[in-house]
Each structure stands twice: as structure tokens, then as C-alpha cells.
Amino acid sequence: MDDLLTDFVAETREMLEAIGGEIVAWEANPGDRARLDAIFRFVHTVKGNCGFFDFPRLEKLSHAAEGALAEVRAERRHPDSRLVNAVLAIIDRISVMIDAIEAGTEIPQGGDEYLVAALEPDAGDTGETVAMQNAAAQASSAQSDATGSAATATPRTIRLPVELLDRVMSGVSDMVLARNDLARRLREAGAEPTLDGPFERMTSILTDVREAVTRMRMQRIELLYNALPRLVRDLSAELGKQVMVDLDGGDVELDREMIEMMRDPMTHIIRNAIDHGVETPSARLAAGKREIGLLSISARQSGNRITVTVSDDGAGLNHEKIGLKAVASGLVTDKELAAMSRNEIVDLIFEPGLSTAEEVSSVSGRGVGMDVVRANIERVGGSISVTSEKNEGTQFHLQIPLTLSIISALTVSAGGQRFAIPQSYVEEIVHGGAKAIEFSKIGETRLMTFRDRRTACVSLGYVLGLTENDVGKAQKLVLLRFGPTELFALAVDAIHDQEDLVVKPLAPAIMQTGFYSGTTLLDDGNPVLMLDIPILAQRSGLSIEARTRAASTKANDNDERSQNARKLMTFVGFDGRRKAIGMELVVRIDQVVPEAIDRSDDHAKVVVGDTIYTLLGLEPDCELEESVKLLRLSDSQSQLSYAVAELGESVEITDEIKPVPQDASLEGIVLHSGKPLRVLDGFGLFAQHASRPVAPDRPVCRIPLHDAWASRMLEPLVQAAGYRIADADDEHVDIVITVAGDSGDDPVEAAETPAIVLYGDPADAARATGGVYRYDRNGLVDALRRAQREKVA
Amino acid sequence: MSTLYVVIEIDGRLAAVDAADVQSVIELENVYPVPRAPAWVTGLTAMRSQSLTVIDCRLALGLAAADMAGERSPVVKVAGHLYALKVDAVDDVLEARSEVMPVPGGFGPGWQRIGQGMIETDRGPVLLVDVEALIAGPEAKAA
């Protein structure tokens, strides 16, 4: 049985036990609203959980009971004793089924429909009675089974007050500190072989206990993540959007209660992100983004806090609209608004009574605003903040406290003081003196280029006011990552050690500075401050900028990964055919008026912005509508425009593309959704039409015609050297390459034309003037260069 | 009436802290400054595997800094956090000989915020310090 299922069974059991009393009380007094609610929550939860597993009968039962109870809650139905009995029978049946699931046996057959029917207001007494007896019989038989196999009936869990766990945890962490202290004293006292053995043993036991204790209350945030892909899928389907979800940091552990507490706020933020943040596929394409929106959720532990970041790459928050709304609802005055920064305005979304949605949609407009989300998070001592950039997306940062934590950290020093950095942020450590690193100064911002990646570089000493803003070769650089994509370099004077540290909360006066997330004692007994990396980055003004930069490197990774599946952009050409072109070539989509297109000569051109592009894709006599959609293609050096009659979607093709030798403009044809899709040969397009600056007087070189070796091997080489290959009807050429001994039918050149003769034997080549061995690549290139220089001279 | 008070000296004046609030009195050595922290937070120090926040009482009262702070420092616990109070001197532990009484005319700026009242001791009248107000620092006055 997998973990999820075990959890499900355990949770359901726990709830069954808990509501055991409620059921009895409700039976005694069916009008008791609190009991009714508790039972309703139970069947509702069971129903919800069933969705993950394939328990149709369980789901049907709980659904039926939920429906009936909802009627009662809405006061459309009076809870008579028959209804109470029917609900109780269903709960009994659920209990039997849970036992069966846990034991891995077949769920007892039949009888469900009677139970469901008994819930109906006008259920006949017969059906009901039958069902009751049936259920009762099964329950009792299950019980007798259970007594037979004691293992299943023995509870494997006990309930403990959380305070007790807290006490044990803080006791163990104090023990770790005392152990560290003792270790230091032992070291100072010199070797004591009689003590070392027991001390080692204590250390290893303590490590075990610490781990066990930590796990007692902690659960991986995965528990929260598990439900998210489904939620995102359902929401995006409902709203007609395409959203991909990227979950990171699922192994971060936090308090089980915290996970439960975060469920609602997270759901709300995700709903908002999909509903209001991510645009429709067409709007995204028009904005030059991939049509599939990306929702990234990441969790990091930092000191005694967990940072959960929910970020989307949607339209971003519209601060103008938020501002207007805030004024309209009396939150701020016009004057106050004018004095507010963009970020301050964006923060207004957390104020009560502000919803920017134009219309209340079924998804996010349920009257629960971000103010409630904030209130819920603050209730447990957390905080929430938002950053948003127009058209780039929105990030919500949730910070949730941990009462206690032991985390792995890197100790560094700056300005003569030591600090700790949570290991989870550390991506890489580089020495400032390394050759691969270049520093540059843009205004007051320091940048660092390392492995072709440019990141902002922040001096820790400077941020903390200890030193000048100097970032240099003498320093060490810690590349830090926070959130799924953000990256920056922190310059420190020295890097010491990596240790497991027990992080304790700081006094409020120090907490208020915002730079630290906690304090801890090192093995040598000295206190050290744990840096709060996201705040540090935020204070240095890095967040958004760094995010986009790192994001671009991430996109490249994706391309590499999906090499097998090619992404194509489909469209309908002006010839009415379905075509596609490699997504990697499409940089954006333009819309132009027909007047911007010049078709006066053979080569159509189009003006987009201030630039003229070669325009492809038009048919000679096609009619142009009011606006023409153009795909902007780029091979990273030059750009082309390709006119399309109709934009399609982006598709992933894993099938092989079948070549079509008859049509040189096509890479081939591939089947997609049962229809042929013509895939344009992007390479060919650029080879033929690229508006790369071409030297007008490119020298012409004649190479042997009709020679397979020449066209395959020689031609690219000669072209790379800056020559154009002569056609059969080129009368003048600048240089001719012939192959010795191959008289052939090549046109004879004028005698003064320089010539290179290729020999099959290096010895012959050395003897002849202008002779080159056919595989002497350098020699050939040299000879071509020489000829070119002579021509210019 | 047998409440014990730890008598300390701040800026040349005697003050008292409820002995029940004082965990211990330590020798202040190795204080690690906290960059960007408020001025009255001198830094962090360690006591028996725990870290303490060191509060400079003169600065916390809004008085001028002085170098004459003594070595010994009482440790108090407020809201779960341990603080070491940097004072001129730790004088004595005394029994109060009176109830806490108001002072006619108040205590004067700075002191007013942290003063709970006056108690009579063998050393004469002593100001009873509200430790929570003291560690909140001078800025809390505005609130």
C-alpha cells in the first residue's frame, strides 16, 4: 500500500473516531447544527479524498450523504430520524470499506444503492430497512473479522498534545547545543580516549533522536503539493487557459498544522493566478509569450521560516486599476495614491474590500479576498508580500514561521563578522579571483559574469553597512538561488564551514531590521546571525531583474531536454494549407496593416516598427485583410517575417518528419491529429532569404561541377571562406578550384584567373604551384584568403 | 513583604529589577555586534549554549553612551527571549522595604517610560524598572 493510501486510511480512521461521539449526539438531537457540520465535513472530506483514489463506491456513498446533509444545512430539509439513520448507515459502511481497503481485501459487495436510496426524502421503508440490516450485518461481521486478526484493529497511532511535542523538540535541540558545547570543551581539554568513545556514541544517538523528533511534527510540503497539479488542471480547463505547474522544494518539511493552514491561502492564490494572472493562449501569443502559462511554486527553508513563492508569468497586476479601485472604495485618497510607489499600490490588494476583477467569476470571485488570505497567514505569525511587473508576472511570497528548526547552513564572514546562510539557497561557491569571472559596474550596481551567466553581485559587508561597496577578486562569491528562478551573487570575505545549526528566534528589536531570520551558536560557542536571503535580495533591489535573467537560461534548459519532442507552431498559410514551423524560430507575432507590405517586386518586404523585413508566405495574388498576422522568425542573427492567414497552436511532435523531396521549402510532412502538417524547412528559409548583410562584391569561386565530393565537402568550406559558388552560367570567376587529373567538362577559365589545384597525394601537391592536398583544410583556406586579398589589392 | 530586587546602576542612578525576572548575572565578554540593528542593541553574546541579546541600558533610555559600563550584567527573559542588560554596575540583591510607590513629579524624560514606581530599600529609594519597556528601546516611546 503506498504512502498516500496509508495516509488516507489513517486520516479517515482518525476522523471516524473523532466523529463517533458527534454521531451519537446528533442522533439524540438532530437539530444540533454543530454536530451536523462536523458530520458534513467528514463526508465531504472523504468524498474529496476519494477523488485521488479509485474508490467509486466510497465516493458515491459520501457524495450521496453530503448531498443530503447539504440540504439539511441549507434548511431545505428537516433532519428526521430516518435521515439520521440513513446517514449513520452510510458512515458505518464507510468504516467497513476503510477496513477492507487497509487490509487489502475486496470491499464487501452490494447494498450501496439501498443506502443511497434511503437518503431520499420519500424513501420507502422497505428499502431502508433492508439496507440498514445489510449494513449492520456487514459491520458486525467486519468487527468479528477484526478481532480475529488483531493486527488490523490495534491502533498504530496515538494522539499527543502538540505542546508536549514542542517540549520534546526544544529539549532535544537544547541537547544538541549542549553537545556542541561539550564537544568544544573536550577539544580544549585535549585528547581523553576514555571520554571520546562514549561521547561519539552520545552524538550518534542524539543525531537519531533529533531526526525522529523532527519528523514527529514535520511533514513534507509535498503533502500540500500533491493536490496542486490537479487543481491547476481543473481550473485552467474551466477557464480556457493553458497552465503548466512547476513545483519545487517538495522536500521542505514543515509542521503538519502549518501545511493544513496553508492549504486555503495557497489555493486562493493559485486560483487568482490562473483566473486573473495568466492570460488566454491567444493573448499570450500576441504578447510574445509561450501560449502555455507557467505557474511556479517553490518552498525554501530559511532560518525559522519557510518561504513559499507562487509565481506566474502572466499579465502582472495592473497597478493603475488597483489604484483607481482603491480610491473608489475609499482606501486611499487621490493625493495619497499619487505619492505611492508601484509596489505600495500593488500591496493594496491585501486591503479589505478590494477586488480588481471586472466580473465576479465562478472561480476566484467568491467574496474571499486577498485580505482574508493575509489575515489567515498573519494569524499564524507569517507574512505575505507581492511583487509584480507588468506583462512579466506576479510573485507572491509567503513566509511561514517554524517554532524550531535545525538547518544546514554555510558560515561566511564579511567585515570581520561571521554570518550563516541557509544551505538551501546556496547554488555554488566561486572564488572572486577565478579566471572565469568578470566584474563590471553599471551605475552603482555590480555585475558578475560567470559561465556566460550575468548576475547581480551584492557585497554582504556593504548591505550590512560594515564595508565599502567593493566587490573584487579577493572575495569569495556565493551564488544564491531563491524562488524557482531568482539568482544573485553575494560577495563575502571568507567562507568557513558548513554546519547543522539550531536556529533560534531573534529578539524583536533585531528581527525588525529584516536582515536576519534567526540566530544560532556555532560549535565554538559563539553566536552567529542567520541571514534572511530573500529580504537581503529585495533590499538590494534585485528580485524582478534577476528573475527574468535566470529565467532565460531556464528556457534553454527546456529546449535541450525536449529534443526528442519537437515543438512546432502551426498555422494556415495563404495557400490554404496547414503548415508548421519550428517553435524555436518563432520569436514573436506581429500584426500589420496591408499598407505596410510592399509587394512591388519579386521579393516582398514588410515594415514592422522601424525595420524592414523580408516577407515570405504570401501567394502572388492573395487578398490581404485588414490586418495581416506575421510570424517573426529568427535564426538569432537575422530575422524574417512570414505571413500567415490564420494562427494555429503550438504542438509537440514526436513522430518522425517524412521528407518531401519534391518541395524544397519543406522539411517534410508529419501527421498531427490525423491530418498532414507541412513543416517548413526553417534552415532552408534562412539560407535562401536571410537578410544578412551580404558583401556586394563577394568573390566568386568555381569548383568542379557534378562532383559529389566537391559539392559535399568543398562547397561549404569555400562558402565559409566568404566566396560564392559559381553557377554554370557565371562567366567571370575570381578563383577556380580544380581537382588534379579531373579534366571533366567544366568551363575553361581565362588564363589569368588564379587557380588552386587539389591533389589526391600530398607529395604531388607540394611539387605543383598553387597545389593543395585535398584534405589540407588549412592550406586550402589560406590559398582562398590569399586570392581574396590579391583581388582587393 | 519579602520581594527581592536586583539593584543596578544606570547612568549613576540606582534602579531595581525584580529578582524573579533575573535569570542570572553574567560577565559580559565577547559581544558580537549586529549590523543594522538599533543602536541600543549592542549585539549578541552566549551564555550556557544560549544566545543573548545585549541591551545597552543607557542608549535604551535615550541617554548618551558611556564607556563606563561594568563587566557584570543581569540576564532577563522577556517574551521567551533572553537579554543581557548592559549597566554601569550590578549593585546588590535587596529586599524591598516598602510597596511600589509613585514618585511625586514623575521620573523625568527617558526614565518615565521605564519606571514602574519607587521602592524603599536599605540603600534608599530606588526606581523600579519595567524590563519590557526598557528593552523596547527609546523608539517605543512614540507608540
Side-chain angles (χ1 to χ4, degrees), chain A residues 174 177-178 181 417 419 462-466 504-510 512-513 515-516 519-521 525-529, chain B residues 30 32-38 40-41 43-53 55 78-79 81-83 135-136 139:
Chain A
D174 284 346
L177 289 174
D181 193 26
Q417 273 189 259
F419 300 94
Y462 177 68
V463 172
L464 297 178
L466 296 170
K504 296 278 179 146
L506 279 163
I510 301 180
Q512 273 160 18
T513 63
F515 286 100
Y516 314 104
T519 174
T520 184
L521 294 182
N526 292 325
V528 65
L529 290 157
Chain B
N30 294 341
Y32 298 84
V34 177
R36 300 275 187 207
W40 73 91
V41 176
L44 296 176
T45 191
M47 175 193 76
R48 293 198 298 267
S49 313
Q50 287 173 302
S51 70
L52 311 179
T53 307
I55 301 287
V78 176
H81 296 284
L82 288 167
Y83 296 87
I135 59 159
E139 276 149 40

